[in-house]
Amino acid sequence: MISLLGELEAASAEPASVGGKGRQLGRLRRYGLPVPDFFVIPAAWSSQRAECFPARLHALLAAELTRRGWHEIPLAVRSSAVGEDGAEASFAGIHLSLLNVHGMPALSAAVAEVWASLDTPVAKAYQARMGIATEAAMAVVVMPLLPAVSSGVAFTCDPLSGRDDRIVVHANWGLGESLVGGAAAGDEYVFAEDTTDVWRLHEVRPGSKATMVVAAPGGGTQRQPVPAARAQKPVLARESAEALAALLRDAAVACDFVAPFYDLEWVWDGAEFWLTQVRPVTRRPHHTYDALRGQPAIWTRGNTCEIMPEPLQAMDWNFSRRGCNALLEQGWKVAGYPLLPGVQRAGLFDGRLYLEASVMQWESWDAIGLAPERFNALMGGHQPAIATVPPGWRERLRRAGRTLRYVRQAGAMGRRGDAEVRRALAIAGELRDVPLPESPEEITALLHRVLKPAREFAGMFFLQGSGGGSLSLLLETLERVFPGESAAIGSALLAGGEPSVTAQQGYALVGLAHKAAAVANPARPQDDPAFAEAFADFFDEYGHRGHYETYLRSPRYREQPERLLEQLPALADVDTGAMRARQLAAAEAAWARIRRDLPIWYRPLIRNLVNAANRDSNRREAARSAIIALLATARRLWLLIGERLVGEAALTQAGDIFHLLPAEIERYASGRLPSAGLRARLADRAGLFARWQASEPCEWFALSPVGGESPRLRSTPEKGQKSTAGVYCGVATGTGRARGKVRRLRHPADGLALQAGEILVAPSTDPGWTPLFLKAAGLVVETGGYLSHGAIVAREFALPAVVNLPGIFAALRDGDLVEVNGGDGTVRRVA
């Protein structure tokens, strides 16, 4: 016997049983969203329809109405065909739904009518157009008809442009049929997200509201005129509209926090908003520059996999999806380049962070004429380049003007960034040990105080995201006079400069290692008062750093002092004096080459560019350190909140909080999200995260729009690094040559295995790897480019280094003898 399914049963049932609408409503209910009570007639019953309504189903429906007390109330009978309300096919308006159905006879007739809508010519034509070959089947959703004061439809993106930073709501008085059926246009409300993750009313576009649809006295619906006074009023006041937008966004991220783009129907009953339908927005347009339309959207992790190689949790993505844009836009704003509003440069695929290289290549080319191929070399990765056309003289003039504007404005923006870095570090330090307040309002205010600089300090973002401008100019200048040698000479010139905060951290750690070796009991240096004081000073300065520190889930040095103590014995033999001599020697050799081969008037230009590149690289590392300090403080606060939620049985362990979004936690704290809904979201995301961890990501892929609509084609590059005669070619980022045995490490926590003089081979590096650079004779990294962390620090340490060698980790084995050439970017096996 085929039973009827309740709300939570629909959430876990197969779509082939409950259809698209029934399953999506069940998911919303499970996730703690306000969905009316309902039950589903499984799709298998639709195959039993004949001239007579199935008697067994009639009995089941009568018993269910009795159990729920629904015999005397008006009902809504909604289609839920298999395949309906899906990501590829919405079936919007194709199948029948009936409102204001009273009693068992009318319910049976309504269900039969909904079933019959499967076989209409319109339905069959839609199935054929969408290429749906499976046999049609129809589940039916039955719920009370809500007493709608107003209702409407909403999109949690702009359905016309595809912008993901907009929510669009259509509203009219009465039932939503007036909008769906075209009887009225209603008001349109557009919302934009502010820097605190709150959706604010951005624009109201009044529409025709002369007609509304209401329940008819004898059943069904009828149109009637809206009273003149009401027709002139907005359907939603600002406060109510923004509350609805927050609810819609919450529903969308509950269903899919990665791609929260949904089409929803809602009802306001005078006291509460209800959700009555949700389906993915089908064929969302790709929001991009006009010049890129018709070209594939190229997504790459050639740069991001250096700092975030593993999957992101929901809270990581919440920060990264906007943080990437904030970092990458500031330089173009300084140059006066007209950025496309709402363009999204970050994406999450298989849980990994990707950047849309096609957009970034175009902005670099269109703004200042940086060729896409050159941009790729700076960024890292092996993604293809977009197609461009040669610029005319007017465009070249505009680009020159932007370059000059950037040069004029960059100094002031850099100074602003320096000040914001200091302010960010001061805020992080001040709030580092603050206790967690009791009230949700005070907690929210505290978190906003920590995270606001990480979202609004444009100067700090400028330093972090635009630090490659002067370096790029240096390399281009060197390439003109030293063709093919610019990377090697540039690295050598930068080797003798002022150390960045990341390099200073490495030197400070070596200093601790020397102190630890000199105490009476080197096995426990922390027992020595002088060492303990120096250790505490180190944590004050660098305790917010850690291994893969961009992840909120990653512990910081301050949380795991034993990790640093373990590294000290291996660093005790590092001779920073010899390292400094090597740096100066590399720089002097490069300057000698310049003095020999370039005219005297050219040298000041090179020196100015070197100084600017060194300063901007150091500023970039300082800005990163400040952002990480804010994230470290936020991590501590979130874990305290997690511990409180564990005490309330909302979470199992404090670290689970990073699977949630800040807005979800705030809704829970304010009583708008039940703990069961919070736990359901957490359980599903934890399962998704585990699947992501087991997946194998590609370095880049291309999504080709079909007819300007949603991406359809996905392609991946050939995996693995090719070699010719045992030589692997990457991006040269260090100086000199080094020969040694390979030591492959996947994580800096495994660094004790690295022996002095070995060649460190890693899939990626971030500041947590810096102490290992001090021990290694050379560096080989699968990821990164000339502007990556590993490249910057390798240049500072005058360490022979080659990056951007995907597959090299698998190609080499521990103990292999290799030669790393930081001058030409090659790694050669030695027989």
Side-chain angles (χ1 to χ4, degrees):
M1 182 181 67
I2 306 170
S3 302
L4 305 178
L5 300 176
E7 298 86 352
L8 296 183
E9 292 172 308
S12 58
E14 292 295 327
S17 174
V18 296
K21 186 180 282 96
R23 187 168 187 274
Q24 295 283 31
L25 287 174
R27 292 179 69 208
L28 288 185
R29 184 67 173 261
R30 178 171 173 265
Y31 292 146
L33 279 304
V35 173
D37 293 341
F38 70 93
F39 64 85
V40 179
I41 303 170
W45 282 108
S46 68
S47 63
Q48 300 183 24
R49 54 195 163 125
E51 293 184 2
C52 298
F53 192 84
R56 180 57 187 159
L57 177 57
H58 188 282
L60 287 173
L61 291 174
E64 189 68 15
L65 295 191
T66 299
R67 187 180 73 83
R68 292 176 178 262
W70 287 3
H71 277 287
E72 305 301 325
I73 66 170
L75 301 174
V77 181
R78 300 179 178 273
S79 66
S80 183
V82 176
E84 186 176 356
D85 290 353
E88 299 299 325
S90 68
F91 285 85
I94 301 297
H95 298 132
L96 189 64
S97 290
L98 298 171
L99 305 181
N100 199 24
V101 175
H102 287 264
M104 264 308 303
L107 176 58
S108 298
V111 171
E113 283 190 70
V114 172
W115 283 343
S117 67
L118 269 176
D119 301 324
T120 64
V122 173
K124 291 186 177 297
Y126 183 86
Q127 285 181 305
R129 182 164 66 88
M130 299 304 295
I132 301 173
T134 57
E135 184 177 350
M138 175 74 76
V140 180
V141 175
V142 180
M143 63 173 55
L145 179 67
L146 297 170
V149 174
S150 61
S151 55
V153 296
F155 302 90
T156 54
C157 64
D158 188 323
L160 299 180
S161 70
R163 286 184 65 166
D164 68 355
D165 62 344
R166 294 291 184 267
I167 290 176
V168 181
V169 173
H170 298 270
N172 195 26
W173 303 108
L175 295 169
E177 277 190 331
S178 61
L179 294 173
V180 176
D187 293 336
E188 183 178 83
Y189 300 79
V190 181
F191 302 85
E193 188 179 20
D194 69 12
T195 59
T196 61
D197 295 336
V198 176
W199 290 84
R200 303 294 187 187
L201 185 59
H202 177 70
E203 183 181 3
V204 180
R205 300 165 183 161
S208 169
K209 303 187 290 290
T211 303
M212 66 179 181
V213 174
V214 297
T221 60
Q222 64 182 24
R223 296 182 182 181
Q224 69 178 39
V226 177
R230 176 183 277 191
Q232 299 303 315
K233 292 173 53 181
V235 177
L236 299 171
R238 173 179 287 272
E239 184 178 357
S240 297
E242 291 182 347
L244 174 59
L247 173 63
L248 295 167
R249 175 68 179 183
D250 186 52
V253 297
C255 291
D256 186 349
F257 76 88
V258 175
F261 314 126
Y262 283 83
D263 169 359
L264 301 102
E265 295 183 9
W266 59 270
V267 172
W268 169 251
D269 64 4
E272 184 177 358
F273 284 109
W274 297 89
L275 302 177
T276 57
Q277 179 173 296
V278 59
R279 60 188 172 211
V281 172
T282 55
R283 308 233 174 164
R284 182 174 71 95
H286 181 53
H287 185 56
T288 191
Y289 290 90
D290 289 340
L292 294 175
R293 299 193 185 282
Q295 295 196 49
I298 303 166
W299 291 92
T300 178
R301 60 192 297 262
N303 178 277
T304 58
C305 64
E306 183 192 40
I307 59 171
M308 303 189 87
E310 297 301 320
L312 279 67
Q313 293 171 291
M315 201 173 288
D316 292 322
W317 172 235
N318 184 71
F319 177 77
S320 297
R321 70 182 178 86
R322 296 177 55 188
C324 289
N325 284 324
L327 294 176
L328 296 170
E329 288 179 349
Q330 301 309 319
W332 303 133
K333 290 180 178 179
V334 169
Y337 177 70
L339 294 164
L340 177 66
V343 70
Q344 177 57 272
R345 300 166 187 82
L348 205 64
F349 300 91
D350 295 327
R352 274 76 172 189
L353 181 62
Y354 285 77
L355 297 177
E356 190 179 343
S358 45
V359 166
M360 297 166 64
Q361 289 173 15
W362 171 254
E363 289 171 338
S364 300
W365 167 252
D366 194 39
I368 60 172
L370 182 65
E373 294 81 3
R374 187 62 178 163
F375 175 87
N376 282 345
L378 292 171
M379 180 184 187
H382 294 78
Q383 61 278 352
I386 59 172
T388 59
V389 296
W393 68 268
R394 288 186 178 87
E395 187 53 46
R396 288 197 296 269
L397 191 61
R398 280 194 290 268
R399 291 173 177 175
R402 293 188 192 110
T403 301
L404 289 174
R405 177 188 169 110
Y406 180 91
V407 171
R408 289 197 307 267
Q409 301 292 332
M413 196 63 168
R415 290 188 293 274
R416 173 183 169 180
D418 293 338
E420 288 177 349
V421 165
R422 292 190 294 269
R423 287 172 56 196
L425 290 171
I427 291 171
E430 178 185 350
L431 303 179
R432 188 175 69 196
D433 299 315
V434 68
L436 189 68
E438 290 298 323
S439 74
E441 295 78 14
E442 290 177 313
I443 293 174
T444 299
L446 179 59
L447 284 169
H448 284 173
R449 188 180 172 198
V450 174
L451 295 175
K452 187 176 181 179
R455 291 170 171 166
E456 297 184 1
F457 279 14
M460 183 169 67
F461 293 145
F462 171 78
L463 299 183
Q464 171 69 5
S466 304
S470 56
L471 179 58
S472 175
L473 188 57
L474 170 64
L475 295 178
E476 290 177 5
T477 303
L478 291 172
E479 188 65 24
R480 285 195 294 269
V481 292
F482 298 111
E485 299 180 80
S486 58
I489 295 176
S491 295
L493 292 173
L494 293 169
E498 185 72 20
S500 69
V501 65
T502 308
Q504 291 174 26
Q505 172 189 322
Y507 294 139
L509 198 57
V510 171
L512 281 178
H514 292 165
K515 285 183 171 63
V519 301
N521 182 10
R524 287 191 56 83
Q526 63 269 34
D527 294 339
D528 181 85
F531 176 86
E533 182 179 356
F535 203 46
D537 291 342
F538 180 89
F539 280 124
D540 283 340
E541 188 75 19
Y542 307 109
H544 59 282
R545 311 304 294 264
H547 298 160
Y548 292 112
E549 59 197 10
T550 311
Y551 295 104
L552 282 166
R553 66 177 180 265
S554 294
R556 312 295 149 152
Y557 288 152
R558 187 175 289 109
E559 301 172 52
Q560 297 179 323
E562 66 281 358
R563 286 283 181 90
L564 284 181
L565 289 172
E566 290 173 353
Q567 296 182 33
L568 297 184
L571 296 175
D573 294 331
V574 173
D575 187 346
T576 55
M579 181 181 297
R580 182 60 179 168
R582 187 172 71 237
Q583 296 166 356
L584 294 176
E588 176 54 33
W591 281 115
R593 176 80 181 278
I594 289 171
R595 289 192 294 270
R596 186 190 71 192
D597 295 344
L598 297 184
I600 192 170
W601 58 266
Y602 214 100
R603 300 169 197 169
L605 171 63
I606 299 294
R607 189 170 296 278
N608 288 336
L609 289 175
V610 169
N611 291 338
N614 179 255
R615 179 197 64 220
D616 291 351
S617 295
N618 289 358
R619 280 174 157 178
R620 187 181 189 196
E621 292 294 298
R624 174 179 173 80
S625 179
I627 293 171
I628 295 302
L630 293 169
L631 292 181
T633 300
R635 166 183 158 79
R636 175 183 165 274
L637 293 174
W638 283 121
L639 287 174
L640 291 175
I641 296 171
E643 291 172 1
R644 188 169 294 180
L645 296 187
V646 170
E648 297 172 4
L651 300 181
T652 302
Q653 54 188 9
D656 288 343
I657 199 167
F658 299 124
H659 280 304
L660 301 172
L661 298 171
E664 293 174 318
I665 301 164
E666 189 173 342
R667 290 182 73 84
Y668 165 77
S670 63
R672 292 171 291 169
L673 176 58
S675 59
L678 200 70
R679 289 193 297 270
R681 300 179 193 201
L682 174 62
D684 287 356
R685 288 176 191 167
L688 177 63
F689 186 73
R691 293 192 294 276
W692 283 344
Q693 287 181 307
S695 67
E696 185 68 27
C698 56
E699 182 196 336
W700 66 269
F701 60 87
L703 295 175
S704 298
V706 176
E709 296 178 334
S710 297
R712 299 297 183 202
L713 175 66
R714 176 167 174 152
S715 60
T716 58
E718 182 179 353
K719 190 172 177 63
Q721 173 67 24
K722 293 182 177 179
S723 69
T724 302
V727 178
Y728 303 85
C729 298
V731 175
T733 58
T735 60
R737 301 186 184 197
R739 178 178 292 195
K741 292 183 178 180
V742 165
R743 176 64 63 186
R744 302 183 311 158
L745 299 179
R746 289 192 176 275
H747 195 278
D750 303 326
L752 294 179
L754 178 68
Q755 302 301 309
E758 290 184 328
I759 304 298
L760 172 59
V761 179
S764 63
T765 60
D766 81 335
W769 289 81
T770 300
L772 303 183
F773 292 5
L774 298 166
K775 295 169 57 180
L779 175 67
V780 177
V781 189
E782 286 199 326
T783 61
Y786 208 78
L787 296 177
S788 64
H789 161 77
I792 291 174
V793 179
R795 285 194 292 270
E796 290 191 88
F797 289 165
L799 182 68
V802 180
V803 303
N804 204 23
L805 288 164
I808 192 71
F809 193 90
L812 299 177
R813 293 288 180 268
D814 285 343
D816 286 353
L817 188 62
V818 298
E819 182 180 79
V820 179
N821 190 330
D824 63 9
T826 61
V827 177
R828 182 173 63 88
R829 290 179 183 270
V830 179

